[in-house]
Amino acid sequence: MSKNYISEIQGLRTLAALLVAVYHIWFSSVSGGVDIFFVVSAYFIAHTLNKYEELSWKQVSSYYSKTLRRILPTAITVFCFTCLVVLIATPFVSYKMEIKNAFSTFFFVENWYLASSGSDYLRQGESKSLFQQFWALSVQVQLYICIPILYLYAKKLERRLNLKNIVTTVLMAVFACSFTYSTSWHPEWAYFDTLARVWEFTAGLLLYHLSGKLRVSKRSATLLNFLAVVAIISFGLYWGQNYALPGVVALIPVLSACIIIVTSKSLYFSILKWRGLTSLGDYSFAFYLWHWPIYLLLFQYTDTNVNFHLLGLGVIVSSAILAFISTKYIEGPLRRSSTLIKSDKKTYGFSAGGMIAPGFLIVCIFSVFSFYEKPSLKALSSFYKNKDISSISNNALFPHGTVIKQDMRESYFNNCEQNMQNSSVVECEYGNKKSDFTIALVGGSHAAQWLSPLKEIALEQGFKIHLMIKSACSLVSSTDRDYKPTQSCLIWNKNLQKRLIELNPNIIITTVTRNGPKGERIPYGYLESWQHIKDNLPNTNIVGIRDNPWFTFDPPLCLEVNGPKECSISRTTFYNDEKVMPILVKHIDVLLDFSKQFCPDGRCSTVLENGLIKFKDKHHLTKSYALLLKPILKEGMQM
């Protein structure tokens, strides 16, 4: 097969970009479009690097400068636009998150920041960042740097040893290692992990080297091409929503892209040859970058009654227009600049200069954030000490948006909670540490959020608290159909059981219900854990806390964008009194039920009348609100 320009690749790029946007807007799912971008990008890299008989550092430098001229103009334009959106249209609650994402994007490590966020349970509930789409470009830039160096040394080794196919052999080894890694690592991390994405790039590189040896008849090629297009279009409807990427399931879009490229020269017809698709291929990169901030601006940060589908079409059309403008009038002239083409040094210098504006805008965002954060932190600290509700203005939300995500128990910040990955028991003590009367506060973050008021009660009453918490876990012994704790969680629980028997506390406090497909429920594994405690610790009382409501929206963000009236749910949406109460009364020694406080008058509100915000995210209380519930907690525990 000829390795010159292939029109189907342009059509494929357009299709991939459209699918990314469509699945984001209408299905809230991944489409496999990014995986296709990786394959196509790698195929072009191989095409460029194999033009030279002997690859040298000069050619590598030339490739780098060419790549900078291609990606930086549009990337900087979209980045600066996004920074302005943050400054003008983003609620304060999103500022800190956006600063972190902007900083990571600036250095092309956004994928690593998102990987770490996915591994942090409490950051998983954050609203989506306006810069989030840059994770894919970050992966590409990292590999754009590494792949030419890999080729350089592999080709040198070929010449030195007078052997052929060393490049191909190395690529096969890299493919095998990366693919194995991607299928064995945590999905939350692997999705953004460059090492777990290398195999998709390597597939494109190998395709270039091996495609010349592949022969397909026109009839077979047309059929395979058609099936590959169908697989790509439909991938997100099922596979993208139900399976973790970039594992084995990612082979579907990757192999489909490879099939389309291989069969492209032996076709009767192909939808990807349609002029409407091929002519838009040059704008696909810009379209991908533009669609995300436009999408979030309209769907996450704008309170509008416009029809959902019309808004979605608005995202597509506006992104296409901006992609055309930025490509034709910004990227195009710089990419074709004879001055920059003739000199790699001038390209590097121009690129460095181009980063000044994005850097300046990050500083501006940080300055605005700092201006509001410092007094807000002071006010929050003062409230912790005095709990003076009268000091809160009825005209403003409290805590301020810049600090609301920090309004949580101290144990999260001082390494007193186990993370999602590890299974050893992390234990911290609070209250009167010399006391013989001990309380074990155990389970997940929903149990830990009661530490702040409980610690104050402990200091007043003179008892000791043993905190043993694991993120994204509960006091549970097994899985069931609707609650499937991780293996790490189950192992942690076994270790916890041993520690509780050693400790022999007077009281164990934990949450005793949780969210399920139809609202509040009690997993079977909870009942097993309670029975284990009764069998092995007959003198220990179980104090169970009924869980707080879970929302489908982020309360602080909703309150800033829409106001209190739009940010509540019906009590019956979450609480199932008839199902859970008989079980709890039978098995729990003391039940603490705060549902009346969470959901007064049949509505689960997210803010008090005086403006104090009750929830820091979709299902965690603010420390401020938890402290206000201290008297009820104290009375309920009969202390």
Side-chain angles (χ1 to χ4, degrees):
M1 183 182 74
S2 172
K3 294 172 184 174
N4 294 324
Y5 174 84
I6 300 173
S7 63
E8 278 79 7
I9 290 183
Q10 289 293 78
L12 182 59
R13 291 172 66 193
T14 302
L15 179 63
L18 282 173
L19 287 176
V20 169
V22 167
Y23 276 95
H24 278 161
I25 297 168
W26 281 281
F27 300 98
S28 297
S29 168
V30 295
S31 63
V34 169
D35 308 78
I36 295 169
F37 278 136
F38 289 164
V39 174
V40 172
S41 296
Y43 187 87
F44 280 133
I45 292 173
H47 173 71
T48 300
L49 297 178
N50 280 278
K51 288 179 179 178
Y52 310 103
E53 287 293 329
E54 293 187 8
L55 191 63
S56 67
W57 279 109
K58 183 178 180 180
Q59 280 94 38
V60 170
S61 176
S62 177
Y63 171 78
Y64 286 157
S65 63
K66 180 181 178 181
T67 302
L68 286 172
R69 293 194 300 273
R70 180 170 59 86
I71 67 173
L72 269 191
T74 299
I76 289 175
T77 303
V78 176
F79 184 92
C80 290
F81 168 84
T82 307
C83 287
L84 292 174
V85 169
V86 172
L87 286 167
I88 297 170
T90 303
F92 284 114
V93 68
S94 299
Y95 261 53
K96 190 169 187 177
M97 173 194 68
E98 295 295 6
I99 290 170
K100 292 178 179 179
N101 281 275
F103 187 82
S104 302
T105 297
F106 183 84
F107 290 101
F108 294 102
V109 291
E110 170 70 351
N111 63 309
W112 293 112
Y113 174 74
L114 292 175
S116 66
S117 298
S119 299
D120 186 330
Y121 177 60
L122 291 183
R123 283 162 63 190
Q124 287 182 338
E126 289 183 345
S127 55
K128 293 178 175 63
S129 168
L130 288 160
F131 298 93
Q132 192 163 315
Q133 86 282 20
F134 280 100
W135 78 267
L137 181 59
S138 296
V139 171
Q140 286 178 292
V141 169
Q142 292 160 30
L143 293 177
Y144 286 158
I145 294 172
C146 296
I147 290 173
I149 297 174
L150 176 68
Y151 264 79
L152 177 68
Y153 284 103
K155 284 181 172 288
K156 280 186 177 181
L157 193 60
E158 279 186 349
R159 294 195 301 271
R160 183 173 299 175
L161 299 178
N162 196 25
L163 294 174
K164 295 182 178 180
N165 299 322
I166 287 183
V167 172
T168 305
T169 303
V170 170
L171 291 176
M172 287 180 174
V174 171
F175 179 94
C177 291
S178 174
F179 183 77
T180 303
Y181 174 79
S182 71
T183 57
S184 59
W185 203 239
H186 300 288
E188 297 86 1
W189 179 277
Y191 186 84
F192 299 107
D193 188 342
T194 302
L195 299 178
R197 293 287 184 171
V198 167
W199 71 269
E200 297 179 319
F201 267 81
T202 312
L205 299 172
L206 284 169
L207 179 66
Y208 180 87
H209 289 277
L210 301 177
S211 58
K213 301 176 182 179
L214 301 175
R215 294 290 184 270
V216 186
S217 67
K218 269 198 172 185
R219 180 178 297 178
S220 297
T222 303
L223 177 61
L224 287 172
N225 188 283
F226 174 76
L227 293 175
V229 171
V230 171
I232 287 173
I233 294 174
S234 62
F235 176 80
L237 292 175
Y238 177 75
W239 300 98
Q241 296 186 43
N242 296 285
Y243 291 87
L245 293 172
V248 176
V249 72
L251 283 169
I252 296 174
V254 169
L255 290 179
S256 296
C258 292
I259 289 171
I260 288 170
I261 294 173
V262 168
T263 60
S264 60
K265 289 297 181 179
S266 306
L267 295 172
Y268 286 115
F269 64 88
S270 172
I271 188 175
L272 297 179
K273 284 188 174 184
W274 179 49
R275 186 176 178 82
L277 287 176
T278 59
S279 62
L280 296 175
D282 286 337
Y283 308 103
S284 59
F285 170 64
F287 178 86
Y288 168 80
L289 291 183
W290 278 113
H291 93 279
W292 185 254
I294 300 297
Y295 164 63
L296 287 190
L297 181 62
L298 293 178
F299 281 87
Q300 183 168 284
Y301 293 128
T302 303
D303 182 18
T304 176
N305 294 320
V306 177
N307 179 271
F308 173 86
H309 298 294
L310 288 178
L311 272 183
L313 290 174
V315 172
I316 299 293
V317 173
S318 58
S319 300
I321 293 172
L322 289 170
F324 174 80
I325 293 172
S326 58
T327 301
K328 185 174 180 63
Y329 298 106
I330 299 175
E331 177 193 325
L334 291 173
R335 191 174 178 179
R336 295 188 296 270
S337 169
S338 58
T339 302
L340 297 180
I341 292 174
K342 293 177 182 178
S343 173
D344 294 346
K345 288 184 179 180
K346 289 182 179 180
T347 297
Y348 296 144
F350 187 84
S351 300
M355 299 300 285
I356 294 175
F360 173 75
L361 287 171
I362 292 177
V363 172
C364 290
I365 298 172
F366 182 78
S367 299
V368 173
F369 172 79
S370 298
F371 178 80
Y372 287 96
E373 183 197 33
K374 291 180 181 179
S376 300
L377 282 174
K378 186 176 180 180
L380 187 60
S381 178
S382 176
F383 182 83
Y384 289 161
K385 294 177 182 178
N386 305 318
K387 304 177 189 65
D388 183 8
I389 299 180
S390 63
S391 65
I392 300 174
S393 170
N394 290 329
N395 297 322
L397 295 171
F398 181 87
H400 190 266
T402 54
V403 299
I404 181 67
K405 297 299 182 179
Q406 302 174 61
D407 188 14
M408 56 191 296
R409 74 272 177 186
E410 64 188 66
S411 58
Y412 177 77
F413 299 104
N414 57 16
N415 298 318
C416 281
E417 299 180 20
Q418 184 56 276
N419 58 36
M420 292 195 299
Q421 290 74 40
N422 296 321
S423 55
S424 60
V425 175
V426 174
E427 185 174 349
C428 289
E429 296 180 3
Y430 298 90
N432 183 0
K433 298 182 181 179
K434 296 181 180 179
S435 176
D436 293 328
F437 191 91
T438 59
I439 290 180
L441 180 58
V442 303
S445 56
H446 283 225
Q449 64 189 355
W450 294 100
L451 173 65
S452 299
L454 188 63
K455 185 177 70 170
E456 291 192 2
I457 298 172
L459 291 172
E460 294 171 2
Q461 300 289 335
F463 60 82
K464 179 168 59 174
I465 301 172
H466 287 261
L467 181 73
M468 289 170 276
I469 298 295
K470 176 175 170 61
S471 293
C473 195
S474 305
L475 184 62
V476 65
S477 296
S478 62
T479 66
D480 61 28
R481 184 181 64 180
D482 295 322
Y483 179 46
K484 301 184 185 300
T486 63
Q487 189 64 27
S488 173
C489 175
L490 295 175
I491 295 173
W492 178 83
N493 267 278
K494 290 182 179 180
N495 295 330
L496 175 65
Q497 290 174 352
K498 295 176 183 177
R499 177 56 188 144
L500 288 174
I501 292 173
E502 292 174 0
L503 182 63
N504 191 22
N506 300 90
I507 295 174
I508 292 176
I509 300 179
T510 190
T511 50
V512 290
T513 62
R514 69 172 289 109
N515 187 44
K518 297 181 180 180
E520 184 188 29
R521 66 183 298 268
I522 303 173
Y524 182 73
Y526 281 26
L527 298 172
E528 291 179 329
S529 292
W530 304 340
Q531 190 59 50
H532 183 275
I533 291 172
K534 293 181 181 295
D535 292 341
N536 293 275
L537 298 168
N539 297 319
T540 297
N541 289 322
I542 300 176
V543 174
I545 302 176
R546 199 174 179 189
D547 204 3
N548 54 260
W550 293 47
F551 301 91
T552 57
F553 53 85
D554 182 28
L557 178 61
C558 180
L559 289 167
E560 283 204 51
V561 174
N562 304 310
K565 291 184 179 180
E566 302 294 326
C567 304
S568 65
I569 61 173
S570 170
R571 186 184 188 281
T572 55
T573 301
F574 177 76
Y575 285 110
N576 291 313
D577 297 333
E578 295 181 358
K579 292 183 179 180
V580 304
M581 289 305 292
I583 299 173
L584 295 176
V585 171
K586 179 179 179 181
H587 291 89
I588 300 301
D589 298 307
V590 178
L591 177 63
L592 299 176
D593 183 357
F594 295 91
S595 60
K596 291 182 179 179
Q597 285 71 41
F598 297 143
C599 309
D601 303 321
R603 297 291 299 179
C604 301
S605 59
T606 55
V607 62
L608 297 179
E609 290 183 359
N610 62 3
L612 188 140
I613 300 175
K614 297 160 68 173
F615 295 87
K616 67 174 289 294
D617 57 33
K618 293 180 180 180
H619 51 88
H620 291 97
L621 305 178
T622 59
K623 178 179 175 179
S624 299
Y625 183 55
L627 287 171
L628 289 184
L629 296 174
K630 172 188 163 184
I632 304 172
L633 175 64
K634 185 176 181 179
E635 181 183 355
M637 292 176 62
Q638 300 174 356
M639 292 182 179

